[in-house]
């Protein structure tokens, strides 16, 4: 046993445990409990999704995915992510930059505001937009008379997604940027760099790993968001259904193979995100550690 | 370049960090801003750099008013206590940074930038480490890279904020001498901030002692140490003793005894006598001297430190004696300060 220290005294061997280790019983008990938990709540459901999707063979799996409505849902999900993630990338950097590097009145309030989408139920986030843009709202009649459709259309879905995924990038960056302080930027400025050069050559490289991580999480959520999107989408088949909404519809129609096939794609997205994240962390662990050190 | 600070006032919120500070820095001089934390020395340095802007007052670079110039336009070199090296760049890229980001009109050719950076690395004795990243260097090496980076832009003035503050004592001493050498070789006007008096006194041509947002005294290290002009400077620099005394007929008195020190021209009344532990002479007689009871003796390297209870003044002093002079506890010692200063309330 690596953690046991053997002392040979008067001939009989006595085992003295290292202070921070536990008895064999406790160790295996704890490890077993954790493994059971992971198997029951993570591995098993995931496996079920994949087996259900493949129940009738890979041929059918591909057929249901090429269904026009399902295909439209995949397209819409990608479109929403392509718009929402870059927007939140820019908002997130701007917000984190402001909060971490400057002192101003209402900073605590702004920090709280950024957390708001995390603290309210996604359904409420969706309802906010219904109240704002719906036909009985203040803006509704004006939008209608100008022929602008926000609710039950792509703009509404994008807005709701942006709202729900707003905190990811900012939350990831704020502590990192606060820890790094402002002296790197001051050094660059003192050497004659403009504000933009300082941001591009100094600030951005210092936060790139945190930023990438935030973007990955933001993207995963943007593609997987259900609650808020469900409220504003209107569930118009082939038009305003994203992948999570499509899964629900198919499931409710007892079309299990198709439902699980789409679910597989979403689950794959999650797995790919996790693998990417781990790969990044493995490959650049030194740089990541260095960017957190000062 | 000559730098003049004129009647600078700086407030953070409503807290005054600097109050009417004026300072002339001569071209090519190595000058230290010395003071306890909160004395405003770093604020003054950052104001010269342009990293802060004054509430009132003017900073001149040569004859030019630099107050309205940004930090970029002032062309200064700034070295930070915690190095602030760009951690994702190699040592060479760090040193080249100030030149590479110049607009194309003023930017030297790539090969020239590289040559200049390598020369500077040679100057700071880091040749061969140009491909390393900051995380792969020791603290002392990092600070030398930071200095090379600051010098690369040919700054008007070099500003160093507690440059050795984060290093351990041994490295600190080494770098101190090394900085002096670099300064003598390159001749940059240099201002550095420190709270370490040994550093200031050993390194600087002139020392500016600051306290509570004001300049207490400006002078050469000798002047600062030998003729402090305020109780603060006397107490802050080196070791000092304070005894309450009385002036009477041009003589200093403790209790009912004259201590044999004449203060011609001083008005009668109470005062504080300041003297250093080593500026004393031992006396045999008991007339015209200060007498005290030995309470503790300590041998520190080449001197013997003796603590005395001066009962007549109800206070304690510490004096330094040669180590061969052995004193026993509770014995009485008579001495007289040879170099002293009287401060009146």
């Amino acid at each position: 046993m690596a953690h046991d220290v053997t002392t040979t005294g008067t001939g009989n061997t006595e085992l003295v445990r290292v202070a921070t280790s536990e008895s064999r019983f406790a160790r295996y008990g704890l490890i077993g409990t954790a493994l059971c938990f992971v198997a029951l709540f993570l591995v098993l459901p995931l496996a079920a999704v994949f087996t259900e999707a493949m129940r009738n063979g890979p041929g059918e799996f591909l057929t249901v995915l090429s269904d026009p409505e399902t295909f439209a849902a995949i397209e819409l999900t990608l479109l929403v992510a392509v718009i929402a993630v870059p927007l939140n990338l820019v908002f997130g950097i701007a917000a984190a930059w402001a909060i971490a590097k400057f002192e101003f009145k209402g900073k605590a309030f702004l920090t709280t505001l950024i957390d708001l989408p995390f603290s309210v139920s996604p359904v409420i986030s969706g309802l906010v937009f219904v109240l704002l843009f719906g036909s009985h709202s203040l803006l509704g009649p004006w939008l209608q008379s100008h022929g602008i459709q926000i609710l039950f259309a792509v703009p509404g879905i994008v807005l709701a997604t942006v709202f729900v995924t707003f905190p990811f990038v900012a939350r990831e960056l704020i502590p990192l940027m606060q820890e790094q302080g402002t002296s790197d930027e001051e050094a660059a400025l003192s050497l004659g760099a403009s504000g933009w050069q300082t941001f591009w050559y100094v600030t951005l490289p210092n936060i790139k790993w945190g930023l990438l991580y935030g973007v990955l999480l933001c993207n995963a959520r943007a593609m997987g968001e259900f609650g808020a999107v469900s409220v504003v989408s209107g569930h118009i088949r082939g038009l305003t259904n994203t992948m999570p909404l499509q899964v629900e519809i198919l499931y409710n129609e007892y079309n299990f193979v198709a439902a699980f096939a789409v679910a597989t794609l979403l689950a794959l997205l999650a797995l790919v995100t996790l693998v990417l994240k781990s790969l990044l962390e493995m490959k650049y662990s030194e740089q990541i550690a260095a960017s957190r050190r000062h | 370049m000559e730098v003049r600070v004129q009647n600078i006032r700086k407030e953070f919120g409503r807290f005054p960090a600097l109050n009417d500070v004026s300072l002339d820095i001569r071209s090519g001089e190595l000058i230290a801003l010395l003071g306890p934390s909160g004395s405003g020395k770093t604020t003054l340095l950052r104001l010269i750099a342009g990293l802060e802007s004054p509430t009132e007052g003017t900073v001149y670079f040569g004859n030019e008013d630099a107050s309205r110039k940004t930090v970029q336009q002032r062309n200064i070199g700034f070295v930070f206590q915690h190095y602030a090296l760009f951690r994702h760049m190699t040592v060479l890229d760090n040193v080249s940074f100030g030149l590479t980001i110049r607009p194309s009109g003023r930017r030297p050719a790539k090969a020239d930038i590289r040559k200049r950076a390598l020369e500077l690395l040679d100057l700071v004795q880091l040749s061969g480490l140009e491909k390393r990243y900051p995380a792969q260097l020791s603290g002392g090496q990092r600070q030398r890279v930071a200095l090379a980076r600051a010098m690369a832009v040919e700054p008007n003035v070099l500003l160093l904020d507690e440059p050795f503050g984060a290093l351990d004592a041994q490295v600190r001493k080494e770098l101190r001498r090394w900085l002096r050498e670099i300064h003598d070789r390159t001749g940059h006007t240099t201002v550095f901030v420190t709270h370490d008096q040994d550093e200031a006194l050993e390194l600087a041509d002139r020392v500016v002692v600051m306290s509570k947002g004001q300049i207490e005294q400006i002078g050469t290290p000798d002047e600062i140490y030998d003729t402090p002009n305020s109780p603060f400077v006397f107490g802050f620099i080196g070791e000092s003793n304070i005894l309450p005394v009385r002036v009477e007929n041009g003589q200093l008195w403790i209790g009912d005894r004259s201590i044999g020190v004449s203060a011609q021209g001083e008005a009668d009344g109470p005062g504080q006598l300041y003297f250093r532990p080593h500026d004393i002479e031992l006396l045999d007689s008991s007339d015209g001297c200060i007498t005290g009871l030995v309470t503790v003796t300590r041998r520190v390297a080449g001197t013997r430190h003796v603590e005395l209870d001066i009962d007549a003044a109800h206070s304690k002093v510490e004096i330094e004696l040669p180590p061969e002079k052995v004193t026993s506890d509770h014995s009485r010692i008579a001495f007289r300060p040879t170099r002293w200063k009287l401060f009146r309330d």
Side-chain angles (χ1 to χ4, degrees):
Chain A
M1 285 282 105
H3 289 281
D4 291 331
V5 177
T6 315
T7 52
T8 46
T10 53
N12 58 341
T13 316
E14 195 184 339
L15 286 176
V16 180
R17 235 185 11 250
V18 174
T20 50
S21 89
E22 294 297 336
S23 72
R24 189 172 301 188
F25 176 74
R27 266 186 283 158
Y28 289 136
L30 286 172
I31 293 170
T33 312
L35 282 180
C36 283
F37 200 85
V38 169
L40 198 63
F41 290 100
L42 288 173
V43 180
L44 210 60
L46 209 57
V49 169
F50 282 95
T51 47
E52 277 298 320
M54 293 292 181
R55 173 175 291 218
N56 298 339
E60 173 136 6
F61 177 80
L62 290 176
T63 325
V64 292
L65 282 187
S66 55
D67 171 73
E69 282 176 14
T70 305
F71 197 71
I74 296 173
E75 273 186 333
L76 180 59
T77 299
L78 290 177
L79 175 70
V80 169
V82 161
I83 301 172
V85 173
L87 279 180
N88 274 333
L89 174 80
V90 175
F91 293 159
I93 293 176
W97 169 273
I99 286 172
K101 312 260 171 177
F102 298 95
E103 291 301 324
F104 53 90
K105 273 188 189 150
K107 186 160 140 171
F109 180 66
L110 182 61
T111 317
T112 317
L113 215 57
I114 287 173
D115 279 340
L116 190 70
F118 272 173
S119 48
V120 299
S121 159
V123 177
I124 296 169
S125 312
L127 276 175
V128 168
F129 289 99
V130 172
L131 290 174
L132 201 59
F133 300 115
S135 50
H136 299 294
S137 70
L138 277 177
L139 290 171
W142 186 87
L143 288 169
Q144 226 156 24
S145 65
H146 286 78
I148 300 170
Q149 181 80 21
I150 289 184
L151 279 186
F152 315 129
V154 176
I157 297 173
V158 171
L159 280 176
T161 309
V162 168
F163 181 82
V164 171
T165 56
F166 181 74
F168 284 97
V169 175
R171 269 282 126 203
E172 193 64 33
L173 292 185
I174 290 169
L176 180 63
M177 287 172 104
Q178 273 173 340
E179 194 189 314
Q180 288 177 349
T182 50
S183 54
D184 280 19
E185 279 81 7
E186 285 178 345
L189 292 173
S190 77
L191 290 165
S194 66
W196 178 246
Q197 282 175 321
T198 303
F199 175 75
W200 195 250
Y201 294 118
V202 176
T203 308
L204 203 56
N206 277 350
I207 59 168
K208 64 182 168 192
W209 300 114
L211 185 63
L212 204 60
Y213 189 37
V215 165
L216 278 179
L217 289 179
C218 180
N219 183 53
R221 181 67 186 268
M223 290 188 172
E225 175 56 26
F226 179 82
V229 171
S230 171
V231 175
V232 298
S233 105
H235 305 272
I236 308 167
R237 289 178 171 238
L239 280 179
T240 64
N241 273 341
T242 59
M243 281 164 77
L245 300 184
Q246 186 70 9
V247 171
E248 198 211 11
I249 287 176
L250 292 169
Y251 185 81
N252 286 342
E253 289 171 348
Y254 304 106
N255 193 349
F256 293 134
V257 172
F260 280 110
V262 181
T264 315
L265 291 185
L266 279 173
L268 271 179
L269 165 76
L271 289 178
V272 167
T273 306
L274 286 178
V275 169
L276 269 182
K277 181 193 151 240
S278 313
L279 277 180
L280 283 176
E281 276 175 2
M282 246 160 43
K283 188 160 180 214
Y284 297 104
S285 58
E286 267 185 25
Q287 282 191 43
I288 292 170
S291 75
R292 288 186 191 267
R293 266 201 304 265
H294 201 78
Chain B
M1 178 176 284
E2 192 179 58
V3 175
R4 273 185 306 138
V5 174
Q6 243 173 31
N7 307 101
I8 286 273
R9 207 159 60 79
K10 173 69 181 174
E11 286 170 9
F12 290 112
R14 297 182 59 192
F15 167 77
L18 286 175
N19 199 357
D20 195 23
V21 167
S22 296
L23 172 66
D24 283 359
I25 300 163
R26 296 166 198 149
S27 188
E29 179 172 50
L30 181 57
I31 196 164
L33 306 181
L34 175 66
S37 46
S39 58
K41 54 194 192 303
T42 294
T43 305
L44 180 56
L45 192 79
R46 291 172 62 86
L47 278 165
I48 296 173
L51 291 170
E52 308 277 355
S53 56
T55 313
E56 265 172 44
T58 325
V59 177
Y60 290 97
F61 278 25
N63 291 322
E64 233 180 317
D65 181 357
S67 312
R68 301 274 161 262
K69 284 188 173 178
T70 62
V71 55
Q72 291 101 326
Q73 291 164 338
R74 289 189 197 191
N75 191 34
I76 48 108
F78 204 101
V79 173
F80 296 81
Q81 181 177 3
H82 296 286
Y83 329 122
L85 293 178
F86 308 132
R87 59 204 102 190
H88 58 279
M89 292 183 201
T90 61
V91 166
L92 187 73
D93 288 342
N94 263 286
V95 177
S96 318
F97 183 83
L99 296 173
T100 28
I101 50 132
R102 282 190 181 170
S104 51
R106 294 197 300 124
R107 186 173 53 221
K110 243 186 182 166
D112 292 339
I113 293 179
R114 190 186 154 81
K115 193 167 151 255
R116 168 109 183 98
L118 287 174
E119 274 170 16
L120 280 165
L121 283 175
D122 191 42
L123 179 73
V124 299
Q125 297 158 3
L126 287 178
S127 299
L129 297 187
E130 66 266 15
K131 289 201 182 96
R132 297 255 189 111
Y133 284 91
Q136 298 166 312
L137 300 177
S138 70
Q141 290 172 327
R142 284 184 217 181
Q143 200 55 298
R144 285 191 264 165
V145 174
L147 189 70
R149 180 178 71 177
M151 287 195 296
V153 293
E154 289 291 344
N156 288 325
V157 53
L158 261 180
L159 306 166
L160 296 84
D161 186 10
E162 302 254 5
F164 312 130
L167 304 169
D168 54 46
Q170 192 64 37
V171 181
R172 214 160 156 156
K173 270 193 179 164
E174 247 171 62
L175 279 196
R176 225 188 260 171
R177 283 189 202 127
W178 167 84
L179 179 66
R180 181 75 231 186
E181 272 174 40
I182 296 254
H183 175 265
D184 292 345
R185 235 190 295 171
T186 58
H188 280 116
T189 308
T190 306
V191 185
F192 74 99
V193 159
T194 180
H195 62 263
D196 179 343
Q197 45 173 301
D198 292 343
E199 201 165 286
L201 295 178
E202 183 181 327
L203 196 50
D205 296 322
R206 282 197 306 157
V207 177
V208 179
V209 184
M210 296 183 67
S211 146
K212 294 180 186 155
Q214 272 168 331
I215 291 179
E216 292 279 342
Q217 188 171 0
I218 306 173
T220 63
D222 284 354
E223 286 165 2
I224 295 284
Y225 191 84
D226 294 335
T227 53
N229 65 2
S230 70
F232 172 81
V233 178
F234 211 123
F236 183 67
I237 307 284
E239 301 292 322
S240 59
N241 291 306
I242 307 166
L243 279 178
V245 294
R246 201 172 71 250
V247 183
E248 227 176 271
N249 303 327
Q251 288 285 318
L252 293 187
W253 295 70
I254 292 179
D256 52 1
R257 292 163 66 124
S258 157
I259 60 171
V261 172
S262 84
Q264 286 301 331
E266 286 280 352
D268 288 3
Q272 305 279 339
L273 179 71
Y274 281 68
F275 62 95
R276 304 212 181 272
H278 52 81
D279 286 337
I280 55 123
E281 57 182 349
L282 288 181
L283 299 169
D284 293 328
S285 74
S286 56
D287 278 345
C289 62
I290 305 172
T291 60
L293 212 53
V294 176
T295 53
V296 185
T297 56
R298 277 174 291 126
R299 170 73 190 267
V300 181
T303 49
R304 197 172 290 282
H305 293 219
V306 181
E307 269 181 38
L308 296 175
D309 226 340
I310 314 290
D311 10 303
H314 304 291
S315 50
K316 282 181 189 277
V317 299
E318 184 171 308
I319 58 173
E320 286 174 20
L321 300 176
E324 60 272 13
K325 175 81 191 169
V326 179
T327 54
S328 55
D329 285 4
H330 307 298
S331 62
R332 212 159 248 290
I333 283 186
F335 69 96
R336 182 190 292 155
T338 51
R339 192 201 282 267
W340 50 270
K341 185 123 184 159
L342 184 70
F343 291 109
R344 313 299 293 263
D345 299 326

